[in-house]
Amino acid sequence: MSDLSCPTCRKPLTQAGYTDRCKQCDGAWVHEDTLVGMLQERTSALVFLPWQPRTQDKERVCAVCAAPMTAVSLADVALDRCAQHGVWFDALELSTLLSDAKLFKSDAVHDDGSDAEPDKKGREGILGALAKLFGG
Ligand SMILES: [Zn+2]
Ligand SMILES: [Zn+2]
């Protein structure tokens, strides 16, 4: 039994693997480090979470400290975040995010902007050569 309570329906959360779940609304509470770990496990790469601010629809409070959370989004998934304690996923949001795990590979995130990374250019060269091989 954990002491966490659902930010949406205030029911106690139940630990399920790496997450704490609400049986009522099927939402999931995940610590940010755990989330990064889950994404890295899926991508076998370092991941970077590009938190975006979003307009808050309804205020939710942290499952741990009950402070109002920040409304954020990650790759168009709308989330609520307590910087100290974790992130709240509504039902299905966590699986959506995990299925898009590759979007958070840290080298993919740095794609826009600098083209000055020599090893990345090298890889693109190989990919380009392969594309020619199969595409031409
Ligand atoms: Zn709930
Ligand atoms: Zn908190």
Side-chain angles (χ1 to χ4, degrees):
M1 241 357 231
S2 74
D3 297 329
L4 308 185
S5 52
C6 175
T8 308
C9 38
R10 311 294 169 96
K11 301 280 178 196
L13 301 182
T14 311
Q15 196 176 351
Y18 293 133
T19 67
D20 290 280
R21 297 268 179 169
C22 175
K23 285 185 173 156
Q24 180 115 340
C25 64
D26 209 28
W29 180 259
V30 188
H31 192 277
E32 215 167 301
D33 292 344
T34 308
L35 178 62
V36 169
M38 288 162 86
L39 291 167
Q40 287 182 167
E41 204 169 89
R42 253 151 236 260
T43 56
S44 309
L46 287 176
V47 304
F48 172 80
L49 299 178
W51 300 106
Q52 302 285 329
R54 70 176 168 94
T55 315
Q56 193 161 46
D57 38 15
K58 52 190 160 187
E59 185 173 277
R60 290 182 172 154
V61 297
C62 175
V64 180
C65 68
M69 290 194 285
T70 313
V72 292
S73 66
L74 268 184
D76 295 333
V77 179
L79 304 169
D80 297 275
R81 176 194 190 204
C82 172
Q84 270 97 55
H85 298 115
V87 185
W88 178 251
F89 292 83
D90 283 329
L92 305 180
E93 286 179 346
L94 181 59
S95 51
T96 304
L97 195 79
L98 290 175
S99 65
D100 285 340
K102 61 181 182 314
L103 296 178
F104 305 111
K105 283 189 186 185
S106 58
D107 57 350
V109 170
H110 296 306
D111 257 8
D112 51 343
S114 78
D115 50 359
E117 295 170 52
D119 73 330
K120 188 179 136 235
K121 273 191 176 160
R123 260 182 288 153
E124 276 171 2
I126 292 166
L127 286 175
L130 284 172
K132 272 182 205 141
L133 205 65
F134 291 107

